[in-house]
Amino acid sequence: MTGHFITFEGGEGAGKSTQVKRLNDHLIKAGYDILLTREPGGSEGAEALREFLLFGGHSLSLRSEIMAHFAARCDHIDQVIKPALEKGKIVICDRYTDSTLAYQGYGLGKGDQTILSFIQKLILLIDLQPEQTFIFTIPYAIAQQRLQQRSQKTDRYEKQNEDYHHRVADGFIQIAKDHPSRCHIINGHDKMETIEQIIFNKVHQQFPDIIL
Ligand code: Z5A
């Protein structure tokens, strides 16, 4: 594969999607070939599974919920991400495997080692890790204020209690510690322009062929 694979992660309302768009727009203006995508979703089948996972209202066992996220992910990888990387595109993905570790492993699974290792085995099986990941952090109260100001419908994870969201946030920090060369922690409470510049610099440092 000749392209690059960059992911954005973190709690909801932390500002990931805003920065994903800024990086995408900037790279396109600079003449790069980009695939901007998201999870769960990103392919026709995975978008159908997204609807089921986020808004379906079904009760799933934790392992089956994890498998459903990975089913969506495999379709997304096989039909969209791998072909784009093979064409040399820069793939920017809003959420990926670290979200499963944080939301299902640390959030719903409360950091249980059996669940974390179940997810880690699936991550190894799918055999496509991002080269660079930005992990956004934000105080819970600020994220809530931001989310209340928008009209989007609330998904099943956003409806979880505050303790759950703290476990997810701590999980993301742990993931960043476990993968220091791939992951960069971004303070989502900084100004948008400051964050944008930090990300541009980190992308250029990691991939000297990308000039921003
Ligand atoms: N999920 C999972 O459980 N397991 C998995 O394996 C995967 C996902 C892959 C997908 O949600 C849900 O799926 C997610 C985890 C779960 N659920 N939760 N909760 P999503 O992708 O649809 O939604 P999200 O990722 O949570 O996105 P979000 O809520 O839109 O958050 P965001 O992308 O980080 O924030 P934003 O849209 O860029 O910004 C939010 C608002 O803040 C907006 O009004 C901005 O203008 C404002 N903003 C952004 N940056 C700033 C700064 N720097 N200052 C001030 N205001 C700002």
Side-chain angles (χ1 to χ4, degrees):
M1 286 184 213
T2 52
H4 294 303
F5 186 21
I6 304 172
T7 57
F8 283 64
E9 298 277 8
E12 52 282 356
K16 295 174 307 305
S17 309
T18 303
Q19 296 298 333
V20 160
K21 283 192 204 89
R22 285 181 175 221
L23 179 62
N24 173 68
D25 294 352
H26 206 81
L27 285 168
I28 286 175
K29 266 195 206 140
Y32 293 95
D33 205 358
I34 309 298
L35 169 73
L36 175 56
T37 188
R38 69 169 181 184
E39 289 206 347
S43 64
E44 200 187 327
E47 285 292 330
L49 284 167
R50 176 189 175 93
E51 198 57 29
F52 171 83
L53 278 163
L54 300 191
F55 306 108
H58 311 282
S59 159
L60 293 173
S61 78
L62 181 50
R63 292 199 323 157
S64 87
E65 179 174 327
I66 291 166
M67 295 293 272
H69 274 287
F70 273 89
R73 180 161 298 133
C74 282
D75 194 61
H76 186 208
I77 292 171
D78 296 344
Q79 310 237 39
V80 177
I81 298 180
K82 269 196 180 161
L85 290 172
E86 280 161 7
K87 285 184 191 144
K89 292 190 185 196
I90 300 170
V91 175
I92 305 172
C93 191
D94 194 340
R95 297 194 180 281
Y96 191 62
T97 49
D98 295 324
S99 280
T100 319
L101 274 171
Y103 282 86
Q104 280 66 48
Y106 289 100
L108 295 174
K110 301 187 175 174
D112 179 278
Q113 272 311 319
T114 315
I115 292 295
L116 290 176
S117 119
F118 182 71
I119 299 170
Q120 274 148 357
K121 283 178 190 152
L122 291 169
I123 292 175
L124 288 178
L125 266 181
I126 61 168
D127 196 25
L128 182 67
Q129 269 294 85
E131 297 159 86
Q132 186 172 47
T133 299
F134 295 102
I135 294 188
F136 283 60
T137 62
I138 187 94
Y140 178 76
I142 305 286
Q144 289 306 303
Q145 274 170 25
R146 287 184 184 175
L147 296 177
Q148 276 158 18
Q149 281 161 13
R150 68 179 190 189
S151 53
Q152 231 169 278
K153 58 181 177 173
T154 309
D155 70 48
R156 66 189 290 192
Y157 302 108
E158 286 167 346
K159 288 180 188 154
Q160 296 281 339
N161 66 25
E162 185 171 346
D163 281 353
Y164 169 83
H165 289 285
H166 286 304
R167 288 198 300 278
V168 170
D170 291 346
F172 274 122
I173 299 292
Q174 186 58 49
I175 292 164
K177 282 188 187 152
D178 292 342
H179 302 279
S181 58
R182 171 171 68 87
C183 298
H184 308 285
I185 292 183
I186 298 290
N187 177 2
H189 202 196
D190 274 347
K191 283 191 181 148
M192 291 185 198
E193 293 67 30
T194 309
I195 298 173
E196 176 183 276
Q197 203 50 56
I198 291 170
I199 290 172
F200 290 177
N201 291 343
K202 294 271 181 208
V203 168
H204 177 58
Q205 270 169 27
Q206 178 98 17
F207 310 108
D209 56 318
I210 302 179
I211 297 156
L212 285 157

